[in-house]
Amino acid sequence: MTAACRSAGLDSDGARLIRLGENALFQLAAHRVIVRIARSTDYLPSVRREVAVSRWLAEEGFPAARTVDDLEQPVVVAGRPVTFWHLIEEGDRKPTYGELGGLLRDLHAMRLPADLELPSYDAFGRTDLRVEKATGIPEDDRKLGW
């Protein structure tokens, strides 16, 4: 995290780990920025897609998490893709289900840019990759019962 911040010209002093799960998330003390670190370069294609989607939604004015625009992203440090996101501070009021439904409707009505391909929804996400990493057995071999 420190090396990634240094490469981006951000101060990492006082950064705080806020979540360790699929990604490590750090909140910087000196900037209103979240540093998101993926597990390995195996995740690089999806990390690049996340950045592209964020930039597309920002161009459309859609309310969603935003990458820090003036930084080249993602960066790879010590074999891990790293991205930088604007901190979203929770407000006092929670959205209603109707408001969330309206946003979802608006999102699905948007036309994807020609250069942005999104995969179909995978309910189990990166589970196969995580199991493969943990067991050392490739998914194709697991399907064969190995």
Side-chain angles (χ1 to χ4, degrees):
M1 189 274 306
T2 301
C5 287
R6 190 176 319 113
S7 76
L10 297 172
D11 181 358
S12 65
D13 290 349
R16 178 175 62 92
L17 177 66
I18 57 173
R19 192 177 114 217
L20 184 58
E22 186 68 29
N23 298 284
L25 301 177
F26 291 87
Q27 182 176 344
L28 299 183
H31 311 278
R32 296 173 46 82
V33 170
I34 298 294
V35 181
R36 186 173 181 221
I37 305 171
R39 294 175 180 265
S40 72
T41 54
D42 293 336
Y43 297 94
L44 194 53
S46 64
V47 171
R48 285 185 176 131
R49 191 170 35 253
E50 290 162 359
V51 169
V53 167
S54 173
R55 290 181 175 161
W56 164 57
L57 293 175
E59 288 172 9
E60 295 293 325
F62 190 83
R66 303 273 191 258
T67 58
V68 177
D69 290 330
D70 54 344
L71 298 176
E72 176 92 18
Q73 298 202 50
V75 296
V76 177
V77 177
R80 298 175 190 275
V82 181
T83 51
F84 303 90
W85 300 79
H86 289 285
L87 175 65
I88 299 173
E89 295 199 36
E90 196 171 326
D92 293 333
R93 187 179 82 76
K94 302 286 185 204
T96 66
Y97 291 122
E99 290 168 331
L100 293 173
L103 280 173
L104 190 57
R105 179 197 61 232
D106 294 347
L107 176 65
H108 285 277
M110 296 171 68
R111 173 171 263 119
L112 280 175
D115 62 340
L116 181 61
E117 282 191 43
L118 297 179
S120 59
Y121 178 69
D122 179 6
F124 294 103
R126 300 175 179 148
T127 304
D128 286 338
L129 183 57
R130 292 178 79 180
V131 169
E132 182 177 322
K133 289 279 188 195
T135 63
I137 302 171
E139 177 185 2
D140 292 339
D141 291 347
R142 285 195 317 276
K143 286 179 181 176
L144 295 172
W146 295 12

